[in-house]
Amino acid sequence: MKPIISAFECASESAGPRPPVLLDVRWQLGGPHGRHDYEAGHIPGAVFVDLDAELAGPAGSGGRHPLPDPEEFGAVMRRAGVSRDTPVVVYDGGQGWAAARAWWLLRWTGHPDVRVLDGGLAAWGGELSTESPTPAEGDFRPEPGALPLLDAEGAAALARSGLLLDARAAERYRGDVEPIDRVGGHIPGAVSAPTSENTGGDGRFLPAEELAARFKELGTDGAPEVGVYCGSGVSGAHEVLALAVAGIPAALYAGSWSEWSADESRPVATGPDPQ
């Protein structure tokens, strides 16, 4: 199953006999709350999901966006109408990070049919609604472990034995700037792979063959395992999604740099090179 869906395909399936559950996950780091945009207009039938409150646990030692409690996440998905045997389409404002976080969580907890709207709401082009639906309760029960997950120790080991990609902007990887976390730099051995290079100017993913070529150049071909981290586990999910589009399985270090850098005992590398 393709992990992304075009706006045309989404509209066609929504009008068909087995319409997907639509989740609106608009979110912006440090920006206004996405619910305001949702209330101003969303894809008809879409249910709003709050990334900070419902797709993440409380910030703390596990990072700025640690994974939510699986049972609490399951309750949120059921309220949104998600059942195990219903397809799900997730979208955000166009950047794709928040939608990819929801995609990853649903796939990690065992949902078999989840796709991200390629290009987000900006690609929709159809009618919008201001009505908030009240879907029938779904039956989805999370079973974590369907996708590979890394902790800090696993990420450090993978940087040595396989390929660990850093999805943040290159200047944060190098340690030139660090606007959010305690210290700048990267996990020793990690390779810089900014998420922004996975998409074109319209926010849509590059074709699968172009993504595969990009990741091959970064070292995926010779790596026994591939992992990804970012600042707090959000844009990293987008990179895992891009790798999936290219046909490359990858693990996510959900705590990411916000967890890694909070522990002063963990090593930090700076500069343009992995070491």
Short mmCIF file of all heavy atoms in Angstrom, two decimals, residues 67 88 136 141 205 222-223 236 240 248 261:
data_model
loop_
_atom_site.label_atom_id
_atom_site.label_comp_id
_atom_site.label_asym_id
_atom_site.label_seq_id
_atom_site.Cartn_x
_atom_site.Cartn_y
_atom_site.Cartn_z
N LEU A 67 6.26 10.11 22.75
CA LEU A 67 5.10 9.37 22.26
C LEU A 67 3.96 9.44 23.28
O LEU A 67 4.20 9.41 24.49
CB LEU A 67 5.48 7.91 22.01
CG LEU A 67 6.54 7.69 20.93
CD1 LEU A 67 6.76 6.19 20.73
CD2 LEU A 67 6.14 8.35 19.62
N VAL A 88 -7.72 5.27 6.59
CA VAL A 88 -7.53 6.59 7.21
C VAL A 88 -6.67 7.44 6.29
O VAL A 88 -5.65 6.97 5.76
CB VAL A 88 -6.87 6.48 8.60
CG1 VAL A 88 -6.68 7.87 9.21
CG2 VAL A 88 -7.67 5.59 9.52
N ALA A 136 -19.36 8.23 14.37
CA ALA A 136 -19.63 7.09 15.24
C ALA A 136 -18.31 6.59 15.82
O ALA A 136 -17.26 6.64 15.16
CB ALA A 136 -20.32 5.99 14.46
N ARG A 141 -7.90 -0.45 18.39
CA ARG A 141 -7.17 -0.73 19.64
C ARG A 141 -5.68 -0.81 19.32
O ARG A 141 -5.24 -1.69 18.59
CB ARG A 141 -7.63 -2.06 20.25
CG ARG A 141 -9.11 -2.09 20.62
CD ARG A 141 -9.41 -1.27 21.84
NE ARG A 141 -10.86 -1.16 22.10
CZ ARG A 141 -11.38 -0.48 23.12
NH1 ARG A 141 -10.57 0.15 23.97
NH2 ARG A 141 -12.69 -0.39 23.27
N PHE A 205 5.67 15.21 -2.18
CA PHE A 205 6.88 14.41 -2.18
C PHE A 205 7.46 14.29 -3.58
O PHE A 205 6.72 14.24 -4.57
CB PHE A 205 6.59 13.01 -1.63
CG PHE A 205 6.49 12.95 -0.14
CD1 PHE A 205 5.25 12.96 0.48
CD2 PHE A 205 7.63 12.90 0.65
CE1 PHE A 205 5.14 12.93 1.87
CE2 PHE A 205 7.54 12.85 2.03
CZ PHE A 205 6.30 12.87 2.65
N GLY A 222 24.14 0.56 1.37
CA GLY A 222 25.09 -0.28 2.09
C GLY A 222 24.78 -0.45 3.56
O GLY A 222 25.56 -1.05 4.29
N ALA A 223 23.65 0.07 4.01
CA ALA A 223 23.34 0.05 5.44
C ALA A 223 22.43 -1.13 5.78
O ALA A 223 21.38 -1.31 5.15
CB ALA A 223 22.67 1.35 5.85
N GLY A 236 11.02 14.04 11.83
CA GLY A 236 11.63 12.74 11.61
C GLY A 236 10.63 11.73 11.06
O GLY A 236 10.97 10.88 10.23
N VAL A 240 10.79 9.36 7.71
CA VAL A 240 10.45 7.93 7.65
C VAL A 240 9.41 7.70 6.56
O VAL A 240 9.46 6.70 5.82
CB VAL A 240 9.94 7.44 9.01
CG1 VAL A 240 9.41 6.00 8.91
CG2 VAL A 240 11.05 7.50 10.06
N ILE A 248 12.00 2.09 1.37
CA ILE A 248 13.08 1.81 2.31
C ILE A 248 12.53 1.85 3.73
O ILE A 248 12.09 2.91 4.20
CB ILE A 248 14.22 2.85 2.17
CG1 ILE A 248 14.76 2.86 0.74
CG2 ILE A 248 15.33 2.57 3.17
CD1 ILE A 248 15.63 4.06 0.43
N SER A 261 19.95 15.73 23.63
CA SER A 261 20.75 16.87 24.09
C SER A 261 20.43 17.29 25.52
O SER A 261 21.20 18.03 26.14
CB SER A 261 20.54 18.07 23.15
OG SER A 261 19.19 18.50 23.17
#
